[in-house]
C-alpha cells in the first residue's frame, strides 16, 4: 500500500514537522538575508509524497516551468525537504498554505515569514531599514522554541549607525514594532469541526504522533499491554486549543502531560476509546499512513489477537506458540527500544500470569 497525501494532510504534517526560518548573515560591510521553508523527518516516505504533491501544485503556474521543487537531502540525522528559492516560496508555498491553512501556532510564523520576504524584496525601502524590520519580525517567530544565538539588540546595533539621525532611527523602530503587531493580532483560522479535515489530523499524527503498545509488568498486577495514542506539540495556547478541537470532534479528551521542556505530550489512553474510535479510524485511513506508522497501528490489532488467544485453550501447543510469537513481534515493533523490560522478562512474566 502506497502512502497517499492531500493538501490538508500536508498542512497537518507541516504543523508537526515543518519550519519557516529567516537568517540574517552579517559582516562589517554586508548584510544578507536567507528565507527557508523546510520539513524534516527521519522517515523518508512522507517527505517524498509531500514533494510529489507540491511538484504537481507548482505545475499550475506556467511561469515556474523550469523551476522544480528541490530534491530531498540528508541533514543532521534526518531527511529534509528544503525550499529557499523566492519564486517557489512566493508562487507555491504561500498560495498552498492559503488554500490549506496551518492550524497550529506555526500559522503565525507562516504569516510573519512571508511579511518579511515581501519587505526583503521591496527595493523602495532602504536596505538598512529592511534589515531592521526583518530582524524584528524574525524575533517574533517561534517564540516558544529554540531561540537564536544573537539578541535582537545585536541586529539593531548593527544597522543603527546607518540611519541619518536619531529621529529617523526611532521612527523606524516604531514602524518595525507596528508591522509585527499587525501580524500578531491577525486572527487564526477557524477551529470549527467542519474546518479541521480528518486528513489534517492524519498528517499531524504522522509528524508528531506515536502509536503505543506498552507492556505493563508492574508487581501485584497481571501482566498486560496498554494501547495509547500520543501527540507532542510546542507549548502554546493555540496548540492546546487545536488539540481540544480535534478531541471534541472525536468526542473524547486528551490527557495532558506537562513538561518543563518546550513541548507538552497529549495522550489518549482509555482502552474503549482506542478500540472503538481511534483504531478503526486509523485502519480505515491506512493509505494515509506511512509504512512505519501502519506497522504500529497494525500492532494494536496484534494485541487484540493476543488477548483473544488468552481467552482460549492455553494448553494447545499451537496457541502457546502463537502467543509467544505475538509477544515477540509486539515487543520488537520499535526494534526493542523504548521498553522498560527485556524481552526475556516479558515472556517469563506473561507465562507466569497467564499460565501458558
Amino acid at each position: 500500500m502506497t502512502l497517499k497525501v492531500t493538501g490538508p494532510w500536508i498542512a497537518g504534517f507541516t504543523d508537526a514537522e515543518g519550519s519557516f526560518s529567516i537568517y540574517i548573515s552579517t559582516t562589517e560591510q554586508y548584510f544578507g538575508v536567507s528565507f527557508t521553508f523546510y520539513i524534516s523527518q527521519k522517515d523518508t516516505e512522507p517527505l517524498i509524497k509531500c514533494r510529489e504533491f507540491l511538484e504537481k501544485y507548482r505545475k499550475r503556474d506556467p511561469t515556474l516551468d523550469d523551476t522544480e521543487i528541490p530534491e530531498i537531502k540528508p541533514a543532521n540525522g534526518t531527511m529534509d525537504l528544503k525550499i529557499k528559492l523566492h519564486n517557489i516560496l512566493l508562487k507555491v508555498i504561500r498560495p498552498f498554505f492559503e488554500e490549506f491553512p496551518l492550524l497550529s501556532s506555526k500559522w503565525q510564523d507562516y504569516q510573519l515569514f512571508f511579511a518579511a520576504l515581501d519587505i526583503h524584496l521591496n527595493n523602495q525601502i532602504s536596505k538598512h531599514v529592511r534589515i531592521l524590520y526583518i530582524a524584528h519580525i524574525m524575533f517574533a517567530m517561534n517564540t516558544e522554541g529554540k531561540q537564536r544565538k544573537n539578541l535582537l539588540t545585536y541586529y539593531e546595533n548593527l544597522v543603527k549607525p546607518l540611519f541619518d539621525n536619531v529621529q529617523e532611527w526611532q521612527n523606524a523602530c516604531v514602524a518595525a514594532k507596528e508591522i509585527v503587531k499587525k501580524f500578531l493580532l491577525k486572527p487564526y483560522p477557524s477551529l470549527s469541526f467542519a474546518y479541521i479535515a480528518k486528513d489534517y489530523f492524519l498528517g499531524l499524527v504522522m509528524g508528531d504522533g506515536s502509536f503505543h503498545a506498552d507492556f505493563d509488568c508492574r508487581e501485584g498486577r497481571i501482566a498486560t499491554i496498554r494501547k495509547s495514542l500520543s501527540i507532542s506539540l510546542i507549548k502554546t495556547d493555540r496548540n492546546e486549543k487545536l488539540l481540544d478541537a480535534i478531541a471534541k470532534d472525536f468526542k473524547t479528551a486528551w490527557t495532558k502531560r506537562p513538561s518543563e521542556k518546550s513541548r507538552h505530550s497529549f495522550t489518549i489512553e482509555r482502552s474503549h476509546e482506542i478500540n472503538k474510535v481511534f483504531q478503526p479510524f486509523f485502519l480505515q485511513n491506512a493509505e494515509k499512513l506511512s509504512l512505519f506508522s501502519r506497522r504500529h497501528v497494525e500492532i494494536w490489532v496484534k494485541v487484540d489477537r493476543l488477548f483473544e488467544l488468552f481467552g482460549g485453550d492455553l494448553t494447545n501447543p499451537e496457541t502457546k506458540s502463537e502467543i509467544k510469537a505475538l509477544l515477540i513481534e509486539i515487543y520488537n515493533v520499535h526494534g526493542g527500544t523504548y521498553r522498560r523490560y527485556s524481552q526475556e522478562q516479558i515472556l517469563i512474566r506473561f507465562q507466569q500470569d497467564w499460565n501458558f
Side-chain angles (χ1 to χ4, degrees), residues 164-188:
D164 291 336
N165 53 65
V166 173
Q167 188 62 52
E168 184 184 16
W169 160 252
Q170 291 176 342
N171 290 343
C173 287
V174 170
K177 291 173 184 177
E178 286 299 316
I179 291 169
V180 170
K181 182 180 178 181
K182 171 187 172 183
F183 285 95
L184 293 183
L185 292 177
K186 197 170 182 178
Y188 279 99

Side-chain angles (χ1 to χ4, degrees), residues 285-304:
N285 291 280
E287 66 181 8
K288 291 172 182 172
L289 300 176
S290 69
L291 178 62
F292 177 83
S293 293
R294 280 201 303 275
R295 184 165 177 250
H296 286 74
V297 173
E298 287 163 359
I299 283 296
W300 283 355
V301 179
K302 302 284 186 180
V303 172
D304 295 342

Side-chain angles (χ1 to χ4, degrees), residues 53-173:
F53 195 97
L54 291 172
E55 181 63 12
K56 290 178 183 177
Y57 198 88
R58 174 193 69 82
K59 290 178 180 177
R60 296 182 182 185
D61 189 333
T63 67
L64 296 174
D65 283 347
D66 298 327
T67 313
E68 293 187 352
I69 301 295
E71 297 291 337
I72 296 159
K73 295 181 179 180
N76 299 322
T78 65
M79 299 298 289
D80 281 4
L81 172 59
K82 187 175 290 189
I83 297 171
K84 291 187 173 185
L85 289 175
H86 294 168
N87 250 6
I88 297 293
L89 290 170
L90 291 168
K91 296 184 178 182
V92 179
I93 301 305
R94 174 187 262 175
F96 180 84
F97 288 119
E98 286 175 355
E99 185 174 350
F100 308 106
L102 301 169
L103 299 178
S104 76
S105 55
K106 206 163 287 180
W107 177 86
Q108 203 164 70
D109 285 351
Y110 156 77
Q111 296 287 328
L112 291 164
F113 177 86
F114 281 103
L117 181 52
D118 287 340
I119 289 169
H120 175 65
L121 297 174
N122 186 351
N123 291 324
Q124 294 183 357
I125 305 173
S126 300
K127 186 168 184 178
H128 59 283
V129 177
R130 281 182 275 159
I131 294 294
L132 178 66
Y133 291 172
I134 291 168
H136 274 258
I137 291 172
M138 185 172 73
F139 277 84
M141 296 170 62
N142 190 28
T143 55
E144 301 297 328
K146 185 177 180 181
Q147 292 304 295
R148 302 173 189 277
K149 180 179 178 181
N150 298 314
L151 299 174
L152 175 58
T153 51
Y154 169 81
Y155 297 99
E156 289 181 331
N157 290 335
L158 284 175
V159 297
K160 187 174 181 179
L162 301 176
F163 286 82
D164 291 336
N165 53 65
V166 173
Q167 188 62 52
E168 184 184 16
W169 160 252
Q170 291 176 342
N171 290 343
C173 287

